Amino acid sequence: MTDDIKKGLAGVVVDHTAISKVNPETNSLLYRGYPVQELAATQPFEAVAHLLWHGELPTDEELAAFRAAERQHRALTPEVRAVIDLLPLEAHPMDEVRTAVSVIGAGDTAGASALKAVGTPEENLERSKRLFAMQPAIVAYGQRRRRGQELIEPRDDLDYAANFLWMTFGEEAHPTVVDAFNRSMILYGEHSFNASTFTARVITSTLSDLYSAVVGAIGALKGPLHGGANEAVLDIFDEIGEASNVVPWLERALAEKRKIMGFGHRVYKRGDSRVPTMQAALESLAEHYDRPDVLELYRTLEREFVERKGIYPNLDYPSGPAYSLMGFDTLTFTPLFIAARITGWTAHVMEQQASNALIRPLAAYNGPDERHIEGYVPTEAEL
Ligand code: SDX
């Protein structure tokens, strides 16, 4: 039995999912059957959210209704704003978003027993849509607050991506930037049983509520081996400075056995299927902002690392510099990942609820052999 241990559940298939298919053999990713590259090139993120939750892309009428509902729940509520304002300015933005989701959940399930808090499929779909709609305000306010800037209210005349950028920067973003941001949201939206999604499913499997599952998923995503890597990629870029410093920096880092953030993946072993699409978005941003230096550093580090380790970039590698060019603070990057992945997480929560089994694996015990308390006399019942 103990030889069967699969540390990190590497390669272990634990359930079915109809939401997405990650295929390392063909280096592909399908959302409900659609290649993610095709969705990123043709769809607004709102339509992909609809696809993940409902299983189909929306008709024009359905998209119009979806957008109208999303606009109803964009604004930061007074209680969420009040709780964010209680946090220290230095609080990590992931902790800020985690706290905000917790407050929303506590409010929505107030008065309900644990069993009642689970809600019906219809209630959980509504909860998912409300959380999706408010993430931009939470993330944008967090960055502005840290910069000493005022809250910016959402604009109903802007769709999801453009409004997110408006609330963050207080100006209408150029279409090139809106498109790159929209693509990043779609690429980050869903990725099967990654650590944060599986965390959400484990929490859901105990019949806990959707908010608790999302709070747990945020905790998992914060880790630099997972979502926190996009923040760490920029730290590396800042350390290196410019392309001419890459080789000495890399030699030193590898000699120190450092993990180079933005590279490697548990499932993709010959490159992450999403990277070409996000890299194209990065290239369009570097041209738009006239920053060839960013691309030179990006390409040099990739070439030198792949040459040495044969380990390829994952989505976090192009998304970090792309978000930096858009003007987001490095600490805001992983909250952007939350804003996107909240669609995939909640789709998995609802899928788990629809066909649930408590997730409880076994462990191989390797502690001390059985031993007893000196002088203890077992009772009749214990014998
Ligand atoms: C995401 O699962 C998902 O789908 C996640 C995600 C999603 O969309 O949800 O795709 C998002 O989390 C992407 C990954 C972001 N994380 C990083 O960029 C952090 C850096 N990457 C590594 O920590 C690592 O590649 C992992 C954690 C991503 C995957 O690790 P594995 O599959 O557990 O493999 P491993 O750590 O055992 O590495 C195998 C070997 C090791 O060498 P040895 O110890 O056997 O000699 O490869 C080496 C590792 O040291 N290695 C790296 C490396 N990644 C692997 N060495 C240096 N730098 C790296 N980035």
Side-chain angles (χ1 to χ4, degrees):
M1 185 64 159
T2 54
D3 300 342
D4 292 349
I5 292 177
K6 298 282 186 295
K7 201 153 178 73
L9 293 181
V12 174
V13 179
V14 293
D15 205 341
H16 286 106
T17 180
I19 302 170
S20 71
K21 181 177 182 181
V22 178
N23 186 338
E25 301 318 315
T26 57
N27 196 10
S28 63
L29 169 59
L30 307 176
Y31 289 179
R32 301 281 192 188
Y34 290 103
V36 72
Q37 293 80 349
E38 292 179 25
L39 294 168
T42 61
Q43 302 298 319
F45 185 42
E46 298 94 316
V48 173
H50 184 284
L51 173 67
L52 292 172
W53 286 323
H54 297 281
E56 295 296 338
L57 285 168
T59 61
D60 291 347
E61 295 72 27
E62 288 168 335
L63 181 57
F66 186 100
R67 281 176 152 156
E70 183 251 338
R71 280 161 167 72
Q72 298 305 313
H73 300 289
R74 280 176 167 178
L76 210 53
T77 58
E79 50 277 349
V80 170
R81 179 173 181 179
V83 169
I84 290 177
D85 287 341
L86 287 176
L87 296 176
L89 277 179
E90 301 72 28
H92 193 290
M94 289 296 279
D95 300 349
E96 211 169 61
V97 181
R98 192 188 66 218
T99 306
V101 171
S102 217
V103 169
I104 295 165
D108 186 42
T109 60
S113 66
L115 201 52
K116 274 259 181 279
V118 176
T120 64
E122 295 71 25
E123 284 169 344
N124 284 312
L125 183 56
E126 277 315 300
R127 288 169 173 178
S128 306
K129 292 181 175 179
R130 286 203 299 271
L131 283 178
F132 163 76
M134 201 192 293
Q135 289 308 306
I138 295 167
V139 176
Y141 180 55
Q143 173 159 307
R144 294 187 63 80
R145 177 172 168 264
R146 278 186 296 284
R147 291 183 177 190
Q149 298 167 331
E150 284 305 306
L151 170 77
I152 291 180
E153 293 297 335
R155 277 180 46 180
D156 278 352
D157 60 326
L158 297 176
D159 288 333
Y160 178 92
N163 178 60
F164 201 145
L165 294 163
W166 161 257
M167 287 196 287
T168 308
F169 302 110
E171 56 192 39
E172 279 193 41
H174 186 281
T176 299
V177 180
V178 176
D179 178 60
F181 186 72
N182 182 67
R183 288 169 185 252
S184 77
M185 289 287 115
I186 291 171
L187 294 171
Y188 267 127
E190 155 64 11
H191 211 241
S192 189
F193 282 16
N194 59 84
S196 54
T197 297
F198 191 62
T199 300
R201 291 191 77 128
V202 170
I203 293 170
T204 301
S205 79
T206 70
L207 291 189
S208 186
D209 62 278
L210 178 137
Y211 297 108
S212 301
V214 171
V215 166
I218 292 173
L221 190 72
K222 181 180 178 184
L225 291 190
H226 189 16
N230 61 11
E231 172 192 315
V233 168
L234 245 289
D235 295 340
I236 284 175
F237 275 41
D238 291 345
E239 262 185 61
I240 297 172
E242 56 182 54
S244 60
N245 299 334
V246 163
V247 171
W249 180 89
L250 188 55
E251 296 290 352
R252 213 170 31 253
L254 293 179
E256 293 161 0
K257 293 263 180 254
R258 284 176 63 177
K259 287 267 199 303
I260 313 303
M261 297 299 158
F263 289 88
H265 199 278
R266 169 61 63 78
V267 179
Y268 296 120
K269 290 304 178 193
R270 290 193 312 279
D272 181 327
S273 66
R274 302 162 294 184
V275 166
T277 305
M278 193 64 222
Q279 186 168 302
L282 170 61
E283 288 160 354
S284 70
L285 289 165
E287 188 183 343
H288 174 70
Y289 289 108
D290 191 21
R291 290 296 306 275
D293 57 307
V294 171
L295 273 188
E296 193 192 359
L297 170 52
Y298 172 88
R299 287 175 174 144
T300 307
L301 177 58
E302 178 184 354
R303 183 185 65 245
E304 295 300 332
F305 184 76
V306 171
E307 246 171 44
R308 286 166 174 74
K309 297 285 283 186
I311 297 171
Y312 296 89
N314 57 55
L315 178 56
D316 293 321
Y317 187 58
S319 67
Y323 287 142
S324 179
L325 285 173
M326 291 181 211
F328 290 104
D329 294 341
T330 301
L331 288 180
T332 305
F333 292 1
T334 317
L336 295 174
F337 197 150
I338 296 176
R341 188 57 57 90
I342 207 148
T343 56
W345 286 337
T346 49
H348 279 274
V349 165
M350 292 186 277
E351 186 179 66
Q352 181 75 31
Q353 287 172 333
S355 161
N356 189 39
L358 176 68
I359 298 174
R360 198 280 186 214
L362 294 177
Y365 175 71
N366 64 358
D369 291 338
E370 185 169 348
R371 51 186 171 165
H372 297 281
I373 301 296
E374 201 167 324
Y376 175 77
V377 178
T379 63
E380 276 295 306
E382 286 165 340
L383 289 176

